[in-house]
Amino acid sequence: MDLTGASRIVVIGGGQAGAQVLQSLRQGGYTGALTLIGDEPALPYQRPPLSKAYMKGEMTEERLYFRPAPWYQDQNIEVILSTRATGIDRTNRKVELAHGGHLDYDALIIATGSRPRPLPVKGATLQGVHDLRDLSDVERIRPNMIGGRKMVIIGAGYIGLEAAAVARQMDMDVTVLEMAPRVLARVTSPVMSAFFETEHRAQGVTILTDARLDHLDGTDGKVSAAILADGTRLDADIVLVGIGILPNEELAREAGIACNNGIQVDRDARTSDPRVFAAGDCASRPLVHYGRSGRLESVHNAIEQGKLAAAAILGKPRPAEDCPWFWSDQYDLKLQIAGLSQDYDEIVVRGDPKERKFAAFYLRNGTLIAVDAVNSAPEFLASKKLIMSGAKIAPAMLGDTSISMKDIAAATTAA
């Protein structure tokens, strides 16, 4: 469907994807009416710093904003905050709002993001039990980040480990519970899991794997302990829950738009309704470098899909689709990830983890599909290009630190 004549575009969601769509539309020459609906009171802001610099108090709220308020005014963008979209009337092309009003649209972008997976145990609603997803979560958590207090973190994914690093740097007593046999089990290899477990333990974090939480105890309505299935009692002044997220796909599903663990979109971020697009955590997209579809929970994905949706609406050529990439900061460690390592059949470690500067390369049938690079930017940057080219690289060459990544890339290209 040709939407180049769209005079009214509505964006639902004030995260990275929503902000990128607005920017790309205006930069691409769109002069029609643009409206953003956000259910939070804040302007669109970055989320990655919430578990890092912002939690530590090293970044102000204003620095989180993608754009200051005057930018939206200068760009003639209507911003409606603290307002929830409650329905999509596709027949009449209206977005229904919680206060009873509605917004008309010619094209609609759903960028509703995701929400924390709820903790399914008794005591999950006690005071002092927190998720970490938005600004209000951090505002509730930070007053309790006091040296000497006991924090129990449930879930050893990236958010849990990043929060553990911040808490230890603030001299808190930190215990991380993970029901899997190792940390980061769902996203990386045993090599990387072992490295990060060692690092956190060296910093004083207690990590309990194969640990099953039975319930949370409380006193006068406030959490006081985490009780494990084996009866172990862990005193807790604060509990942080990081057991994954769920896509906010309900608006789309209730409107009859195809969903499957996310709002299903094509390469242009277009849903099963040609006037409706979806971008960011809420969308399940074609992963063109891997021959399948899936959700990507990353800044890169939100930016890229925002650009794709804007280009499709403006009738412009589709922007290049990059290799997926992610990052995590823990203590003085910068983990940079390129590609998706699921289904690898060979792993090559370049460098020595004991030196806290190394990379783990993941191959499938001899083809490089992903890299985890710790304090190793050259390995990360080179691998992005090699993954996108479908490069086959000799494992011995990848592991040989006497050969630079630049030379490996050149040799592979030449081959």
Side-chain angles (χ1 to χ4, degrees):
M1 174 179 285
D2 183 1
L3 293 174
T4 54
S7 60
R8 299 162 299 181
I9 298 177
V10 174
V11 178
I12 305 175
Q16 182 89 55
Q20 184 63 54
V21 170
L22 297 174
Q23 178 176 312
S24 294
L25 285 169
R26 284 296 189 237
Q27 287 180 340
Y30 181 73
T31 59
L34 262 182
T35 301
L36 172 77
I37 308 167
D39 59 5
E40 295 184 58
L43 290 169
Y45 63 89
Q46 308 168 65
R47 294 185 189 274
L50 295 182
S51 59
K52 308 177 187 73
Y54 188 70
M55 180 180 278
K56 286 193 283 187
E58 297 176 352
M59 179 182 283
T60 64
E61 179 176 325
E62 287 71 25
R63 285 183 58 201
L64 292 175
Y65 296 161
F66 295 117
R67 298 284 186 173
W71 181 83
Y72 296 94
Q73 298 167 4
D74 293 344
Q75 297 295 320
N76 194 26
I77 296 171
E78 180 184 22
V79 179
I80 303 173
L81 302 176
S82 300
T83 300
R84 188 168 57 88
T86 56
I88 299 169
D89 179 348
R90 293 166 53 208
T91 301
N92 297 302
R93 301 207 300 270
K94 297 179 185 294
V95 176
E96 298 161 359
L97 305 178
H99 56 57
H102 69 268
L103 294 170
D104 297 323
Y105 69 85
D106 295 311
L108 174 66
I109 299 96
I110 305 173
T112 45
S114 56
R115 63 187 182 279
R117 189 181 296 275
L119 184 65
V121 301
K122 177 185 174 183
T125 59
L126 287 166
Q127 181 185 347
V129 180
H130 302 279
D131 298 311
L132 179 51
R133 189 63 184 165
D134 57 34
L135 273 169
S136 62
D137 292 329
V138 181
E139 295 307 313
R140 286 188 290 268
I141 292 169
R142 274 204 303 205
N144 298 287
M145 302 285 284
I146 298 172
R149 289 195 177 179
K150 298 180 183 298
M151 173 182 275
V152 173
I153 298 174
I154 303 169
Y158 290 124
I159 291 294
L161 294 186
E162 288 169 3
V166 170
R168 279 302 299 141
Q169 289 169 321
M170 300 177 76
D171 201 30
M172 296 185 73
D173 182 329
V174 182
T175 300
V176 177
L177 305 180
E178 172 55 56
M179 64 185 300
R182 55 187 176 89
V183 306
L184 302 173
R186 289 175 289 278
V187 293
T188 193
S189 65
V191 170
M192 299 303 295
S193 294
F195 172 76
F196 278 99
E197 284 187 30
T198 298
E199 285 293 324
H200 278 278
R201 289 191 170 112
Q203 296 286 347
V205 177
T206 299
I207 295 179
L208 302 179
T209 54
D210 287 313
R212 291 192 171 273
L213 179 68
D214 185 78
H215 68 278
L216 299 174
D217 266 354
T219 303
D220 297 327
K222 186 178 187 307
V223 70
S224 58
I227 312 301
L228 305 188
D230 64 5
T232 300
R233 178 185 179 89
L234 302 169
D235 291 338
D237 298 302
I238 179 173
V239 171
L240 182 64
V241 181
I243 56 173
I245 61 175
L246 299 171
N248 291 326
E249 62 181 27
E250 289 77 11
L251 269 178
R253 186 172 357 101
E254 290 166 7
I257 295 170
C259 297
N260 182 16
N261 185 31
I263 305 167
Q264 293 181 291
V265 299
D266 64 12
R267 291 180 65 179
D268 296 312
R270 196 186 301 259
T271 72
S272 57
D273 181 327
R275 289 185 179 272
V276 181
F277 298 76
D281 286 5
C282 67
S284 177
R285 63 177 294 186
L287 304 175
V288 296
H289 304 292
Y290 296 90
R292 59 184 176 86
S293 293
R295 285 193 310 110
L296 296 176
E297 301 161 4
S298 70
V299 169
H300 153 254
N301 175 65
I303 291 173
E304 185 169 88
Q305 282 200 296
K307 291 178 178 180
L308 290 167
I313 292 169
L314 296 170
K316 294 181 178 294
R318 180 187 297 143
E321 293 160 276
D322 201 0
C323 165
W325 55 266
F326 317 81
W327 83 91
S328 177
D329 294 328
Q330 300 171 42
Y331 308 110
D332 60 341
L333 302 169
K334 176 169 283 295
L335 169 62
Q336 294 173 289
I337 304 153
L340 304 173
S341 62
Q342 290 90 340
D343 303 321
Y344 71 91
D345 55 29
E346 186 173 7
I347 182 170
V348 178
V349 176
R350 178 182 175 88
D352 186 352
K354 293 179 181 178
E355 296 180 1
R356 307 173 84 246
K357 181 180 172 67
F358 72 103
F361 296 93
Y362 302 92
L363 299 97
R364 183 171 62 232
N365 298 324
T367 299
L368 182 65
I369 60 171
V371 66
D372 291 333
V374 177
N375 294 338
S376 299
E379 281 71 12
F380 167 71
L381 294 171
S383 293
K384 284 178 65 179
K385 296 178 181 178
L386 292 168
I387 292 166
M388 290 175 65
S389 69
K392 287 185 178 293
I393 310 173
M397 178 180 286
L398 274 178
D400 188 346
T401 56
S402 70
I403 308 174
S404 72
M405 287 305 300
K406 182 178 180 180
D407 288 343
I408 290 174
T412 303
T413 302

